[in-house]
Amino acid sequence: MAERIAILGAGAIGLFYGARLAVSGQEVHFLVRSELEAVRSRGITLQSKEGSETLSPVQVHATAESIGPVDLVFVTLKATANDQLAQLLPPLLGPQTAVVTLQNGLGNEEVLAQWVDRAQILGGLCFIACMRVAPGVVSCLHRGSITLGEYGRPASDRTRHVAALLEQAGVPCRCVDSLAEARWRKLVWNIPFNGLSVAAGGITTDVICADPALAAEVRALMEEVRTAAHALGYDVPAAFAQKQFDVTPPMGPYQPSSLVDFKASRPLEVEAIWGEPLRRAVAAGVATPRLALLYALLRRLTKA
Amino acid sequence: MAERIAILGAGAIGLFYGARLAVSGQEVHFLVRSELEAVRSRGITLQSKEGSETLSPVQVHATAESIGPVDLVFVTLKATANDQLAQLLPPLLGPQTAVVTLQNGLGNEEVLAQWVDRAQILGGLCFIACMRVAPGVVSCLHRGSITLGEYGRPASDRTRHVAALLEQAGVPCRCVDSLAEARWRKLVWNIPFNGLSVAAGGITTDVICADPALAAEVRALMEEVRTAAHALGYDVPAAFAQKQFDVTPPMGPYQPSSLVDFKASRPLEVEAIWGEPLRRAVAAGVATPRLALLYALLRRLTKA
């Protein structure tokens, strides 16, 4: 029997995974705000170098009430829109509803926990390079995978069930016993590259890597993230950070998502990616001076 | 008898002190490049809230050869123009010529020492808030003072003689036995405020001070500068740094000189103000992570 799934947020991530799940046979409902009519009339199109596929019709909704309780919610809003969750989440919840945040950075599970029983919360990290290029249209450079975990618990049958749904939709999925550790690992790349791409004036990752002073700052920021993660009990090996650096130059002139948002004058996830990790490092007694400076600059640069 | 004085550089600092010295009776020759005709025909005008004074005619020259040897040279070029000194300095030098660099940051005396006997070199720090608002026209918010010292030697009769000339010209002047210490002290303000005003997107010092995260970064950068200075043997008390912070909010919406240059797309003195202090801190084994990150960002932000 198809699962009833709600997708909260019609950006690149929400459209991509929601469409994949719908094509694979699940009953997927999209909450779409400003672009509702476009998605309703034209469907969702996923473009990649392998070609293009279109899902139409799409079950679009203007309100969470019109969706009603579901088995599974994917939260794909920008973290900066989390204040909408108070209104959007409750109509979707039943006692067994699993809520998966696919958002960046730290602190999103904690926000969900204000509206959902902690036991119903999961988190996922999307290793994907995609961009919403028009309403309902997602261009995908690299389809990657999802790393999935439970909030504050090891992976369970429920985790593996959600992973299986994603695998059936063609999304490689890995279950981990420590979602928090996986999130810190992802920050090893996001904190320096998303941050410096914006703070250094809007430059792509290849420019960062080719600038000796900035490349040294990437490595130093990665060390700060590792040190903070270790102090909090997470394992982030030096070899992992090294690999995160090494995979970047071959990506070419890549624009981290924060840079895409910055250039489009959209809000950045400053608190989730830099602010919350900094606060946790400080609380753990770890000095992260570069992260502190980067956070202060980004906070100011993204003020209206 | 009037001293023969050459002013190298017709920016705000050169015009201001040169005009003051000329008005006080010294024989002052200005080397002026692109704005020569304007300064020749209209003279130099100093504007302040007390009123306006004009020096005319002005002894302007297009080449150092046309000035010839002088008693005293003030180098008021931007440090980014130091490669011109090889051509500009030698024609001005006699065996007794004193060469005073009024430039910002570290490393300028060392550059002069390539062309001038070390024993002839002095340095001065200008505590002044002024801006060149048109060719030959300087607007002065705060006339401040000069701190004067010998390069690598304590103050001497020569230092006091130069100071006396400036005092006669209405410029309060203080002689110090450690020019290097005075330069590190000035960096306590310049490194954070000049740097953050540019890196945080072009903001004035009052905005920095009113932003809790940026204000904390100012204090942390001041501590890094103090720590580096101490390791290099200079005394920069905590109370001094505190005072440097405290005097800033009352200055209102002040644009540090680096921000003025940045907004005008002129080169910034990145190496003199951030690069050279960072290299000296590193050489002394002091960790200055915030300075390192700020330097890397400014270096990139000011690349064409």
Side-chain angles (χ1 to χ4, degrees):
Chain A
M1 202 182 85
E3 303 250 339
R4 273 177 61 80
I5 299 175
I7 306 284
L8 282 192
I13 297 284
L15 292 171
F16 179 81
Y17 292 115
R20 299 292 319 159
L21 286 161
V23 167
S24 77
Q26 308 305 333
E27 181 192 326
V28 182
H29 300 265
F30 295 82
L31 185 90
V32 185
R33 299 304 200 63
S34 55
E35 301 179 343
L36 185 128
E37 283 312 319
V39 178
R40 192 199 302 273
S41 62
R42 283 175 264 158
I44 297 172
T45 299
L46 308 184
Q47 304 172 333
S48 71
K49 56 178 184 287
E50 287 78 34
S52 169
E53 59 180 331
T54 296
L55 171 72
S56 184
V58 178
Q59 303 201 53
V60 289
H61 302 259
T63 66
E65 286 76 6
S66 117
I67 301 176
V70 294
D71 301 310
L72 185 54
V73 180
F74 286 102
V75 181
T76 59
L77 299 169
K78 286 269 166 193
T80 49
N82 276 347
D83 56 353
Q84 299 175 18
L85 289 171
Q87 220 191 346
L88 300 181
L89 262 184
L92 306 174
L93 301 177
Q96 302 297 322
T97 305
V99 181
V100 185
T101 162
L102 296 181
Q103 297 163 294
N104 276 321
L106 302 184
N108 294 305
E109 289 86 1
E110 287 75 4
V111 172
L112 286 182
Q114 298 175 47
W115 318 109
V116 192
D117 189 319
R118 296 171 64 96
Q120 293 174 254
I121 301 175
L122 296 83
L125 292 82
C126 305
F127 296 87
I128 186 171
C130 63
M131 209 190 313
R132 198 206 56 94
V133 293
V137 183
V138 178
S139 170
C140 225
L141 276 171
H142 173 63
R143 299 169 59 138
S145 62
I146 287 184
T147 294
L148 203 65
E150 296 279 330
Y151 177 37
R153 298 169 302 276
S156 65
D157 286 346
R158 194 242 319 257
T159 332
R160 288 179 281 275
H161 173 68
V162 174
L165 292 176
L166 287 161
E167 292 269 359
Q168 284 162 29
V171 178
C173 213
R174 190 170 70 96
C175 294
V176 291
D177 285 329
S178 172
L179 173 62
E181 183 171 286
R183 289 215 177 276
W184 275 96
R185 286 184 174 218
K186 191 158 193 218
L187 290 171
V188 167
W189 195 93
N190 279 346
I191 282 179
F193 282 110
N194 284 48
L196 296 178
S197 70
V198 171
I203 56 177
T204 48
T205 53
D206 56 331
V207 177
I208 294 173
C209 293
D211 179 313
L214 285 175
E217 292 305 306
V218 168
R219 292 180 188 280
L221 279 160
M222 285 180 166
E223 272 309 294
E224 288 190 1
V225 176
R226 286 187 60 227
T227 306
H230 282 199
L232 291 159
Y234 308 122
D235 181 34
V236 185
F240 175 84
Q242 178 66 47
K243 195 178 163 203
Q244 294 296 299
F245 190 96
D246 292 344
V247 298
T248 309
M251 288 162 61
Y254 181 68
Q255 299 196 24
S257 59
S258 300
L259 178 57
V260 174
D261 288 337
F262 186 67
K263 288 168 100 171
S265 301
R266 287 194 296 263
L268 262 65
E269 298 170 307
V270 174
E271 296 307 324
I273 302 180
W274 298 276
E276 189 60 24
L278 172 62
R279 287 185 284 274
R280 295 191 189 184
V282 168
V286 176
T288 54
R290 287 174 166 95
L291 173 57
L293 176 55
L294 188 57
Y295 167 65
L297 290 173
L298 292 167
R299 205 167 155 269
R300 168 57 51 178
L301 285 168
T302 56
K303 272 199 177 137
Chain B
M1 202 182 84
E3 303 250 340
R4 271 177 62 79
I5 298 175
I7 306 284
L8 281 192
I13 297 285
L15 292 171
F16 179 81
Y17 292 116
R20 298 295 316 159
L21 287 161
V23 167
S24 78
Q26 308 304 334
E27 180 191 326
V28 182
H29 299 266
F30 295 84
L31 186 89
V32 185
R33 297 306 200 60
S34 55
E35 301 179 344
L36 185 127
E37 283 314 317
V39 177
R40 193 200 302 276
S41 62
R42 283 176 265 156
I44 297 171
T45 299
L46 307 184
Q47 304 172 333
S48 71
K49 56 178 183 289
E50 286 80 32
S52 168
E53 61 180 329
T54 296
L55 172 71
S56 184
V58 179
Q59 303 202 50
V60 288
H61 302 259
T63 66
E65 285 77 7
S66 116
I67 301 175
V70 295
D71 300 311
L72 186 54
V73 179
F74 285 102
V75 180
T76 58
L77 299 168
K78 286 268 166 194
T80 49
N82 276 347
D83 56 354
Q84 299 175 18
L85 289 171
Q87 222 193 343
L88 300 180
L89 262 185
L92 306 173
L93 301 177
Q96 302 298 323
T97 306
V99 181
V100 186
T101 164
L102 295 181
Q103 297 162 295
N104 276 322
L106 301 184
N108 294 304
E109 288 87 2
E110 287 74 5
V111 172
L112 286 183
Q114 297 175 47
W115 318 108
V116 192
D117 189 321
R118 296 171 63 96
Q120 292 174 253
I121 300 175
L122 297 84
L125 292 83
C126 305
F127 296 87
I128 185 171
C130 62
M131 210 192 310
R132 197 205 57 94
V133 291
V137 184
V138 177
S139 170
C140 226
L141 274 170
H142 172 63
R143 299 169 61 140
S145 62
I146 287 186
T147 295
L148 203 66
E150 296 279 330
Y151 176 36
R153 298 169 302 277
S156 65
D157 286 346
R158 194 242 318 258
T159 331
R160 288 180 281 276
H161 173 67
V162 174
L165 293 176
L166 287 161
E167 293 269 0
Q168 284 161 29
V171 179
C173 213
R174 189 170 70 95
C175 294
V176 290
D177 285 330
S178 173
L179 173 62
E181 183 170 287
R183 289 215 177 276
W184 276 96
R185 285 183 174 218
K186 191 156 194 220
L187 290 171
V188 167
W189 196 94
N190 280 346
I191 282 179
F193 282 110
N194 284 48
L196 296 177
S197 70
V198 172
I203 55 176
T204 48
T205 53
D206 56 332
V207 178
I208 295 173
C209 292
D211 179 314
L214 285 175
E217 291 305 304
V218 168
R219 293 179 188 279
L221 280 159
M222 285 180 166
E223 272 308 295
E224 289 190 359
V225 177
R226 285 187 61 227
T227 306
H230 281 197
L232 291 158
Y234 308 122
D235 181 33
V236 185
F240 175 83
Q242 179 65 48
K243 197 180 162 201
Q244 294 295 300
F245 190 96
D246 292 344
V247 297
T248 308
M251 287 162 61
Y254 181 67
Q255 299 196 23
S257 59
S258 300
L259 177 56
V260 174
D261 287 337
F262 186 66
K263 289 169 100 171
S265 300
R266 287 193 297 261
L268 261 65
E269 298 170 307
V270 175
E271 296 306 324
I273 301 180
W274 298 276
E276 189 61 24
L278 172 62
R279 288 186 284 275
R280 295 189 190 186
V282 169
V286 176
T288 53
R290 287 173 165 94
L291 173 56
L293 176 55
L294 188 56
Y295 167 65
L297 291 173
L298 291 169
R299 205 167 154 268
R300 168 56 52 179
L301 286 168
T302 56
K303 274 200 177 139

